């Protein structure tokens, strides 16, 4: 029972799903775009713990047959619940309930609107149709997914490769659906490139997940236990969210680097992302100097809006950090409860065995089974606590850091402008002095310098105004996204809690007649 | 009941807000006493009565001797129980009276019964365990240390939780002592014991001589000898099938139930930890919502409310599990020990009988003191038979009692779990509705 809730690297729907659906393949084999029905994201579908198969990681988006497999399995999943779970009935029931709430489950139109921003892949195997179908003003038809973590290589040179699949109708891409293999350093490389280019504009660039030496070493060494599986799953989900945020951003999406990342088959190995490289050290030094200069700059802004917002951001970051710590402790305690319940269930089973009254013995064994089921419940609950809540908070703590960085950029621009102004002032003074001392040749040079610096001042001022506008726009967009994000994730979390309580009730109601039967 | 407690809490807090923790505990305990009188004298609802009887049923039905503990006072480490007796028996001086007793007096009574030869064939109800406030006290200490890191609200809530825990421990210990006395009073033989009567009636301080060092050591030594004996005796061939079965069963069951009790305790503690975590989450969320100026403000508030409610339910789950499951296991662990003691005593008499047989044989051989040896042998045989007979009775009734108690508690626990889960469900559903609609 516990096995079904293990965090297995999500395999794709393979053989198991294809068989009943081969007849569908005929009609859909030519239609590339009709692959995906409205909301039911095949991405989500892919993340079921398909324990039966894992041998054929068929491409999610490219091949017609597998996509139809995915397609039809979406429609059948509502009734059949493609799990190898024991609690099939429970889940079918639940997934049906959820699917009722989603409006466009049946829309087979290719113009299905789809906002990629909030499509977190369902990390809970049971909840497939959990993607929100909110229409937004910026209607993108773009969807990315990160799936199939695979270990390439061996020993300390091993790394995990992830399949990045894109589905889009935007004209700037060559195909409608495609996928590539990327490794973690590629994602980091993308981030580096984007921040070099865009941070000067004041864009809020979503930060990638953090490096983790411990986690990766465990994976490399090949420890095949739940903690490394957890780590891989966590990283995969984080990478997916990162990509989704990137493509959701209107200006970042236009960037050729992003396109290259998504489309190009072989990406040059991103250098400078390794912690101990020269570039890494350089970064650290830069960061340190930034921190120092940050403390000394203070904008005398006529626009208090920025000041207020920065303060808000800082205090919010603190609060979220606290909240994250508390949620972490909740996760740990739940895991503890899980362990304790398992141990208790075992000892209860032994007690039931040694009991000589038959009815009581049976009841005690039943109690042991109920507690076993509870253990599964607790484990799933802990997972949902973690993957939904804790990761959400961690993401936003990082994002808020990026927002702060944005504000800092603006401050730097302002500082540059001010410095240029003071240089101009000095040049003017020099010119005045030269005028007085009557040195015509140097005067000419001074005048040239003045014009040059005047140009710079105007340019920097324009830069500053522009970045202020951008930062403002970005910030508002960020807040809107944040509200949506939080709301949807909270609802998801509450629904998972609700589900677990429903199963709670079922289990205990099943036990009650057994207890009453004791004579 | 909890409402009353809340109002007392409010009073407590207003007074104790500025005083340091140590003082707080003392005054708090005083308030516990007052509170206890209030609830006990005002309403003893059925659920309470049921709780009192849950681990051992069929008590206090005989109106000729009714015992209860209507209130108790907790001072520092000592708990003073007020034992109240109502009787129609003529052996008592008054029909209705109360005496103050301490935990040590209960122990004295138990030991006196155990040491009485005549009761060797009976299962003596296990002695109530010492009142143990260690765990909530430790937590209170930690809370005091961590006070600076929490908001006022959070601190208040944690304190409330702790006080509820204190109260729960208190109630449990009163219940356990009460059940001990009630089992004695409902036993046909033990209720007539002279020591028991003294315990109930003697209105002066029993001033039971506390065991001094030598005696404690002596009893410790006795226990060691006893366990060594047990090992020897378990090797003795059993003549009666019934007892043979019982012995195997009890030995096995006793170790298993000890194990289960320990695990159940751990599980309950985890539940409590989770309830505590919900408190922290709730208050952090509310401080987030205070600072937030976006559309999320209301959402955070709602979420904080929800977690507050959820943690109350979770707390109830933990305490109900504790009461129904863990307490049940704990009690029967002790009871089984008492049954094992009975078996041990009987086995001892069997060994004595066999020894006397051997002595008789030897005497016959030597042809001297035959009469004395025969006398001895007869006595041993008699004692053995008596013990066997009453032992059989006691063990059978013990079995029945145990099955009934388990049934009752398991049913109640299942029903409570269902109730709490349904509660949780409705809370969550409401909140989800609110979120989706806004």
């Amino acid at each position: 029972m516990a096995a079904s809730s293990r965090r297995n690297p999500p395999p794709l729907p393979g053989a198991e799903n294809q068989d009943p659906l081969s007849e569908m393949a005929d009609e859909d084999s030519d239609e590339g775009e009709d692959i995906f029905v409205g909301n039911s994201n095949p991405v989500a579908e892919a993340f079921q713990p398909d324990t039966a198969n894992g041998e054929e990681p068929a491409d999610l988006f490219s091949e017609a047959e597998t996509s139809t497999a995915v397609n039809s399995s979406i429609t059948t999943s509502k009734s059949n619940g493609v799990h190898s779970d024991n609690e099939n009935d429970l889940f079918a029931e639940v997934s049906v309930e959820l699917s009722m709430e989603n409006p466009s489950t049946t829309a087979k139109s290719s113009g299905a609107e789809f906002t990629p921003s909030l499509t977190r892949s369902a990390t809970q195997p049971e909840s497939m149709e959990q993607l929100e179908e909110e229409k937004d003003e910026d209607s993108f038809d773009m969807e990315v997914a990160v799936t199939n973590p695979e270990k390439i290589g061996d020993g300390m040179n091993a790394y995990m490769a992830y399949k990045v699949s894109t589905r889009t109708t935007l004209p700037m891409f060559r195909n409608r659906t495609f996928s590539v293999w990327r490794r973690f350093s590629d994602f980091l490389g993308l981030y580096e490139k984007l921040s070099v280019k865009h941070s000067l504009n004041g864009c809020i660039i979503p930060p990638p997940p953090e490096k983790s030496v411990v986690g990766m070493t465990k994976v490399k060494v090949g420890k095949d236990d739940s903690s490394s599986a957890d780590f891989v799953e966590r990283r995969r989900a984080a990478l997916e969210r990162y990509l989704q945020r990137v493509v959701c951003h209107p200006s970042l999406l236009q960037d050729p680097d992003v396109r290259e990342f998504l489309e190009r088959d072989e990406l040059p190995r991103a250098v400078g992302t390794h912690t101990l490289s020269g570039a890494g050290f350089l970064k650290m030094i830069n960061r340190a100097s930034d921190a120092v200069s940050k403390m000394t700059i203070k904008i005398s802004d006529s626009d208090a809006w920025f000041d207020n917002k920065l303060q808000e951001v800082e205090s919010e970051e603190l609060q979220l950090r606290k909240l994250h710590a508390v949620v972490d402790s909740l996760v740990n305690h739940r895991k503890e409860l899980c362990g304790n319940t398992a141990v208790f269930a075992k000892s209860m089973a032994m007690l039931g065995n040694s009991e000589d009254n038959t009815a009581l013995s049976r009841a005690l064994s039943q109690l042991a089974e109920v507690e076993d089921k509870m253990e599964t419940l607790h484990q799933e609950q802990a997972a949902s606590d973690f993957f939904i809540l804790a990761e959400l908070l961690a993401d936003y703590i990082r994002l808020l850091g990026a927002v702060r960085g944005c504000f800092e950029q603006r401050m730097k621009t302002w500082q540059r402008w001010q410095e240029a102004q003071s240089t101009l002032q000095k040049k003017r003074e020099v010119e005045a002095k030269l005028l007085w001392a009557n040195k015509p040749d140097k005067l000419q040079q001074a005048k040239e310098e003045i014009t040059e610096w005047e140009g710079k001042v105007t340019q920097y001022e324009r830069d500053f105004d522009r970045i202020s506008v951008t930062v403002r726009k970005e910030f508002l967009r960020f807040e809107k996204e944040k509200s949506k994000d939080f709301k949807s994730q909270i609802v998801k979390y509450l629904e998972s809690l609700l589900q677990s309580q429903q199963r709670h009730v079922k289990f205990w109601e099943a036990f009650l007649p057994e207890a009453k039967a004791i004579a | 009941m909890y409402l009353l407690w809340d109002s007392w809490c409010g009073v407590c807090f207003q007074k104790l807000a500025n005083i340091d923790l140590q003082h707080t505990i003392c005054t708090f305990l005083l308030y516990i006493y007052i509170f206890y009188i209030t609830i006990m004298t005002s309403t003893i609802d059925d659920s309470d009565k049921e709780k009192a009887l849950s681990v051992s049923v069929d008590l206090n039905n005989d109106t000729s001797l009714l015992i209860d503990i209507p209130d108790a006072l907790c001072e520092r480490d000592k708990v003073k129980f007020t034992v109240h007796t109502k009787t129609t028996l003529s052996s008592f001086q008054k029909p209705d009276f109360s005496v103050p007793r301490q935990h040590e007096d209960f122990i004295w009574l138990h030991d006196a019964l155990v040491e009485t030869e005549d009761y060797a064939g009976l299962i003596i109800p296990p002695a109530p365990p010492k009142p143990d406030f260690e765990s909530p006290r430790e937590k209170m200490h930690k809370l005091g240390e961590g006070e600076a890191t929490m908001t006022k609200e959070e601190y208040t809530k944690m304190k409330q939780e702790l006080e509820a825990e204190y109260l729960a421990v208190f109630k449990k210990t009163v219940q356990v002592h009460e059940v001990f006395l009630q089992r004695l009073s409902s036993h046909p033989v033990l209720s007539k014991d002279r020591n028991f009567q003294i315990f109930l009636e003697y209105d002066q301080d029993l001033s039971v001589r506390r065991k001094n060092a030598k005696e404690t050591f002596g009893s410790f030594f006795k226990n060691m000898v006893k366990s060594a004996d047990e090992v020897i005796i378990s090797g003795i061939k059993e003549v009666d099938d019934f007892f043979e079965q019982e012995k195997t069963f009890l030995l096995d069951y006793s170790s298993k139930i000890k194990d289960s009790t320990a695990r159940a305790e751990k599980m309950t503690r985890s539940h409590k930890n989770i309830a505590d975590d919900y408190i922290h989450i709730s208050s952090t969320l509310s401080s987030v919502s205070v600072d937030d100026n976006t559309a999320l403000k209301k959402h955070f508030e709602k979420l904080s409310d929800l977690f507050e409610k959820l943690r109350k339910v979770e707390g109830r789950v933990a305490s109900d599990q504790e009461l129904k499951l863990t307490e049940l296991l704990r009690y029967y662990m002790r009871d089984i020990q008492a049954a094992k003691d009975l078996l041990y005593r009987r086995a001892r008499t069997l060994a004595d009988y066999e020894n006397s047989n051997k002595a008789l044989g030897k005497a016959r051989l030597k042809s001297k003191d035959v009469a004395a040896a025969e006398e001895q042998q007869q006595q041993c045989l008699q004692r053995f038979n008596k013990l066997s007979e009453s032992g059989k009775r006691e063990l059978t009734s013990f079995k029945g009692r145990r099955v009934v108690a388990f049934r009752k508690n398991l049913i109640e626990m299942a029903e409570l779990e269902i109730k709490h889960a349904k509660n949780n469900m409705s809370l969550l559903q409401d909140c989800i509705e609110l979120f989706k609609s806004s």
Side-chain angles (χ1 to χ4, degrees):
Chain A
M1 282 181 267
S4 59
S5 58
R6 297 283 310 272
R7 278 273 93 75
N8 292 320
L12 277 173
E16 192 183 284
N17 297 338
Q18 276 179 345
D19 293 337
L21 312 164
S22 45
E23 59 271 37
M24 292 271 233
D26 298 324
E27 60 176 358
D28 279 352
S29 52
D30 295 327
E31 297 173 358
E33 55 252 73
D34 263 358
I35 293 170
F36 300 102
V37 261
N39 72 321
S40 320
N41 192 348
V43 163
E45 218 273 355
F47 301 139
Q48 301 154 29
D50 231 354
T51 51
N53 69 312
E55 55 280 352
E56 227 184 300
D59 254 11
L60 239 195
F61 296 83
S62 41
E63 259 64 60
E65 36 178 15
T66 33
S67 18
T68 50
V70 168
N71 173 23
S72 350
S73 58
I74 294 169
T75 42
T76 53
S77 62
K78 288 193 274 289
S79 50
N80 119 51
V82 189
H83 310 287
S84 39
D85 262 302
N86 300 341
E87 283 88 33
N88 244 335
D89 313 315
L90 290 174
F91 289 147
E93 190 182 278
V94 168
S95 55
V96 164
E97 283 170 13
L98 287 178
S99 68
M100 299 301 188
E101 295 164 8
N102 283 321
S104 46
T105 26
T106 51
K108 252 189 169 251
S109 60
S110 48
E113 302 284 343
F114 187 86
T115 351
S117 57
L118 304 175
T119 53
R120 306 283 169 95
S121 49
T123 48
Q124 287 265 345
E126 300 83 63
S127 35
M128 292 180 291
E129 283 97 0
Q130 281 194 337
L131 304 167
E132 283 197 287
E133 193 56 2
E134 280 188 345
K135 284 200 187 219
D136 223 25
E137 294 87 46
D138 37 6
S139 43
F140 279 82
D141 197 4
M142 175 112 189
E143 184 185 313
V144 291
V146 175
T147 54
N148 286 50
E150 267 182 21
K151 185 166 170 202
I152 314 261
D154 239 339
M156 284 315 285
N157 290 329
Y159 62 90
M160 295 299 284
Y162 303 88
K163 178 187 250 179
V164 177
S165 317
T166 326
R167 194 266 303 189
T168 176
T169 58
L170 289 177
M172 67 175 152
F173 291 97
R174 277 188 307 226
N175 306 326
R176 297 222 180 242
T177 66
F178 44 90
S179 60
V180 290
W181 288 90
R182 294 280 176 260
R183 51 185 291 186
F184 185 66
S185 49
D186 294 337
F187 288 83
L188 291 182
L190 176 68
Y191 174 69
E192 295 292 321
K193 287 191 213 147
L194 288 178
S195 42
V196 160
K197 276 195 263 179
H198 292 274
S199 62
L200 297 175
N201 299 341
C203 281
I204 301 178
I205 306 180
E210 283 148 0
K211 292 169 136 304
S212 158
V213 181
V214 176
M216 268 323 279
T217 323
K218 266 206 234 161
V219 171
K220 284 182 189 182
V221 165
K223 254 178 93 169
D224 206 16
D225 62 356
S226 63
S227 67
S228 47
D230 265 346
F231 171 77
V232 169
E233 170 61 25
R234 185 177 166 190
R235 178 166 272 198
R236 184 206 60 79
L239 287 175
E240 189 173 81
R241 291 195 300 272
Y242 164 63
L243 268 193
Q244 282 168 346
R245 287 204 186 92
V246 167
V247 299
C248 178
H249 194 294
S251 30
L252 286 183
L253 185 54
Q254 305 297 327
D255 191 308
D257 272 331
V258 171
R259 231 177 307 149
E260 190 182 66
F261 182 86
L262 290 174
E263 268 188 330
R264 199 161 149 189
D265 277 326
E266 278 298 320
L267 214 55
R269 182 75 198 280
V271 292
T273 56
H274 194 71
T275 330
L276 297 176
S277 67
F281 279 128
L282 205 60
K283 254 187 289 178
M284 269 194 277
I285 296 174
N286 279 337
R287 249 197 297 245
S289 62
D290 273 349
V292 172
S293 57
K294 212 196 324 177
M295 286 188 267
T296 51
I297 303 179
K298 180 78 182 96
I299 292 191
S300 56
D301 219 342
S302 55
D303 194 350
W305 186 90
F306 288 95
D307 249 348
N308 287 343
K309 289 299 173 185
L310 185 60
Q311 259 180 339
E312 267 182 29
V313 163
E314 282 175 351
S315 76
E316 185 165 0
E317 191 175 335
L318 272 173
Q319 298 283 16
L320 285 188
R321 267 188 214 276
K322 246 199 289 180
L323 191 59
H324 179 76
V326 177
V327 171
D328 237 355
S329 130
L330 175 68
V331 170
N332 284 337
H333 281 146
R334 236 193 256 279
K335 286 204 180 127
E336 211 180 87
L337 175 64
C338 192
N340 286 341
T341 315
V343 164
F344 174 71
K346 278 202 198 80
S347 94
M348 201 24 80
M350 300 219 329
L351 190 66
N353 275 342
S354 64
E355 173 66 56
D356 61 352
N357 178 312
T358 30
L360 182 56
S361 161
R362 201 176 41 236
L364 287 179
S365 315
Q366 285 289 350
L367 181 63
E369 275 185 27
V370 169
E371 292 291 343
D372 221 2
K373 290 189 193 138
M374 301 290 281
E375 185 234 341
T376 323
L377 270 187
H378 290 312
Q379 202 174 42
E380 286 170 4
Q381 190 53 54
S384 115
D385 281 347
F386 181 71
F387 279 101
I388 301 182
L389 215 52
E391 288 287 85
L392 169 75
L393 293 171
D395 272 354
Y396 271 92
I397 293 174
R398 272 201 307 268
L399 270 171
L400 285 175
V403 171
R404 247 187 314 128
C406 205
F407 277 82
E408 276 157 33
Q409 276 299 330
R410 179 174 166 272
M411 263 205 280
K412 273 201 228 152
T413 325
W414 182 83
Q415 190 184 35
R416 205 169 44 164
W417 176 36
Q418 295 301 320
E419 277 173 7
Q421 269 191 332
S422 64
T423 326
L424 179 64
Q425 188 66 12
K426 278 196 213 119
K427 298 282 182 202
R428 288 220 171 103
E429 284 172 10
V430 165
E431 188 210 16
K433 267 196 231 144
L434 284 178
L435 213 58
W436 208 72
N438 208 359
K439 289 201 182 132
D441 43 337
K442 286 218 177 118
L443 199 60
Q444 183 58 27
Q445 189 190 359
K447 278 212 182 350
E448 279 172 13
E449 282 183 355
I450 286 181
T451 15
E452 178 193 338
W453 276 96
E454 273 177 355
K456 279 201 186 156
V457 167
T458 355
Q459 190 203 337
Y460 288 163
E461 183 173 1
R462 241 181 296 141
D463 273 349
F464 178 69
D465 285 334
R466 203 161 27 109
I467 201 177
S468 297
V469 167
T470 322
V471 168
R472 201 186 210 124
K473 198 170 57 151
E474 285 283 303
F475 188 78
L476 290 173
R477 187 182 149 272
F478 169 73
E479 286 214 323
K480 209 164 44 127
E481 291 288 314
K482 186 175 74 153
S483 297
K484 247 194 313 182
D485 228 352
F486 264 84
K487 187 163 153 198
S488 80
Q489 288 299 95
I490 289 176
V491 169
K492 201 157 112 170
Y493 177 65
L494 292 182
E495 282 177 348
S496 86
L497 275 181
L498 180 65
Q499 244 184 56
S500 123
Q501 291 298 315
Q502 279 167 339
R503 288 164 71 189
H504 230 94
V505 171
K506 271 210 169 71
F507 293 150
W508 284 104
E509 277 180 346
F511 172 69
L512 196 53
E514 280 293 335
K516 290 199 169 140
I518 301 175
Chain B
M1 192 191 301
Y2 285 98
L3 292 177
L4 209 53
W5 174 239
D6 275 342
S7 60
W8 273 114
C9 246
V11 170
C12 284
F13 278 122
Q14 277 150 22
K15 296 193 180 166
L16 305 174
N18 299 324
I19 311 177
D20 74 296
L21 222 47
Q22 193 66 340
H23 192 195
T24 312
I25 294 180
C26 310
T27 16
F28 163 69
L29 295 174
L30 192 58
Y31 279 107
I32 282 195
Y33 164 58
I34 301 173
F35 163 58
Y36 211 86
I37 293 196
T38 328
I39 55 159
M40 278 307 170
T41 53
S42 55
T43 46
I44 302 185
D45 39 302
D46 281 331
S47 65
D48 256 11
K49 263 252 158 65
E50 279 208 15
K51 277 192 189 140
L53 303 175
S54 65
V55 287
S56 195
V57 290
D58 289 340
L59 293 179
N60 246 16
N61 284 338
D62 181 14
T63 51
S64 64
L65 186 61
L66 287 172
I67 305 181
D68 67 318
I69 300 185
D71 61 64
L73 171 59
C74 184
E75 275 171 14
R76 294 268 165 189
D77 261 345
K78 294 198 178 304
V79 185
K80 278 205 169 63
F81 304 94
T82 307
V83 178
H84 167 247
T85 321
K86 216 152 124 181
T87 176
T88 57
L89 297 173
S90 53
S91 45
F92 291 95
Q93 289 170 357
K94 290 183 277 186
D96 196 328
F97 50 91
S98 297
V99 289
R101 289 285 175 255
Q102 288 191 1
H103 170 72
E104 285 78 12
D105 303 331
F106 288 77
I107 301 298
W108 164 80
L109 178 61
H110 174 257
D111 288 346
L113 292 173
V114 164
E115 284 161 11
T116 312
E117 264 297 321
D118 283 342
Y119 302 145
L122 305 174
I123 298 183
I124 313 283
K130 198 164 155 61
D132 176 25
F133 292 101
E134 193 50 48
S135 153
R137 191 173 294 151
E138 212 183 290
K139 272 172 113 176
M140 187 75 108
H141 205 72
K142 263 197 238 158
L143 181 65
E145 283 172 4
E147 182 178 352
T149 63
M150 305 187 228
T151 67
K152 200 136 190 7
E153 263 179 32
E154 204 173 334
Y155 181 67
T156 322
K157 280 197 206 132
M158 290 292 294
K159 210 160 173 194
Q160 271 179 354
E161 262 302 302
L162 265 182
E163 277 157 13
E165 206 175 308
Y166 235 89
L167 192 63
V169 171
F170 189 65
K171 266 186 171 174
K172 231 187 333 170
T173 188
V174 167
Q175 172 190 327
V176 143
H177 284 77
E178 197 178 56
V179 164
F180 171 67
L181 292 179
Q182 285 172 346
R183 272 189 70 179
L184 287 178
S185 74
S186 53
H187 195 284
V189 177
L190 291 173
S191 57
K192 302 197 178 62
D193 180 70
R194 182 75 197 128
N195 282 325
F196 185 43
Q197 215 176 339
I198 295 176
F199 178 89
L200 291 176
E201 229 183 359
Y202 191 62
D203 52 4
Q204 311 285 336
D205 188 11
L206 276 180
S207 56
V208 173
R209 201 158 51 89
R210 309 285 174 251
K211 287 188 170 171
N212 60 24
K214 190 165 90 153
E215 278 184 339
T216 346
F217 187 66
S219 67
F220 170 70
F221 190 63
K222 234 196 311 175
N223 275 333
M224 287 224 344
V225 170
K226 179 170 148 207
S227 13
D229 264 349
E230 268 179 357
V231 171
I232 299 173
I233 279 166
S234 56
I236 289 189
K237 190 171 139 26
E238 185 50 71
V239 295
D240 190 337
D241 257 350
F242 173 79
F243 282 100
E244 181 64 35
Q245 265 180 354
E246 282 301 304
K247 189 171 70 175
T248 354
F249 167 67
L250 281 180
L251 282 176
D252 183 35
Y253 200 75
S254 128
S255 66
K256 301 257 171 67
I257 204 174
K258 230 183 261 178
D259 193 44
S260 294
T261 314
R263 312 273 185 228
E265 280 175 358
K266 275 214 189 121
M267 200 171 70
T268 327
R269 208 167 313 143
S270 293
H271 266 299
K272 283 216 189 86
N273 282 341
I274 291 187
D276 283 344
D277 275 338
Y278 278 1
I279 297 182
H280 291 304
I281 292 184
S282 161
S283 52
T284 321
L285 277 173
S286 73
S287 48
V288 169
S289 83
V290 159
D291 288 338
D292 193 284
N293 289 323
T294 67
L296 280 180
K297 189 192 187 77
K298 268 188 290 167
H299 291 139
F300 282 137
E301 265 170 25
K302 277 184 229 153
L303 201 59
S304 156
D305 268 341
L306 173 71
F307 268 101
E308 176 59 30
K309 293 194 192 117
L310 281 181
R311 73 106 176 161
K312 286 213 174 87
V313 178
E314 195 67 33
R316 295 301 297 277
V317 167
S319 67
D320 282 337
Q321 195 179 67
E322 165 88 29
L323 218 53
K324 301 290 168 195
L325 193 58
T326 319
E327 261 312 292
L328 174 74
L329 291 172
R330 245 187 240 132
Y331 187 78
Y332 276 96
M333 184 175 79
R334 289 196 300 268
D335 223 358
I336 284 183
Q337 187 58 43
K340 267 169 58 178
D341 285 344
L342 168 62
L343 279 183
Y344 163 75
R345 288 194 293 267
R346 180 178 163 278
R348 248 251 92 76
T349 55
L350 180 59
D352 285 343
Y353 173 61
E354 290 189 350
N355 287 341
S356 74
N357 263 341
K358 285 196 204 123
L360 181 60
K362 256 195 265 180
R364 287 220 175 108
L365 232 56
K366 291 192 196 154
S367 298
K368 71 172 180 177
D369 292 331
V370 173
E374 266 182 7
E375 178 74 37
Q376 177 77 323
Q377 192 231 34
Q378 279 308 313
Q379 269 186 359
C380 284
L381 182 60
Q382 258 183 358
R383 222 182 303 150
F384 174 66
N385 282 334
K386 178 168 150 228
L387 277 198
S388 296
E389 200 185 299
S390 80
K392 205 177 240 176
R393 252 201 328 264
E394 288 277 312
L395 285 172
T396 328
S397 82
F398 170 69
K399 243 203 255 277
R401 219 179 35 228
R402 194 182 76 235
V403 171
V404 170
F406 265 77
R407 177 176 188 276
K408 185 166 192 295
N409 276 296
L410 288 178
I411 292 179
E412 282 176 2
M413 186 174 82
E415 286 175 347
L416 281 170
E417 288 268 352
I418 294 176
K419 182 174 111 178
H420 291 315
K422 286 203 171 137
N423 227 351
N424 269 341
M425 266 169 59
S426 76
L427 283 174
L428 286 167
Q429 262 161 352
D430 287 340
C431 197
I432 294 180
E433 290 291 320
L434 272 168
F435 265 85
K436 286 202 167 148
S437 63
S438 70

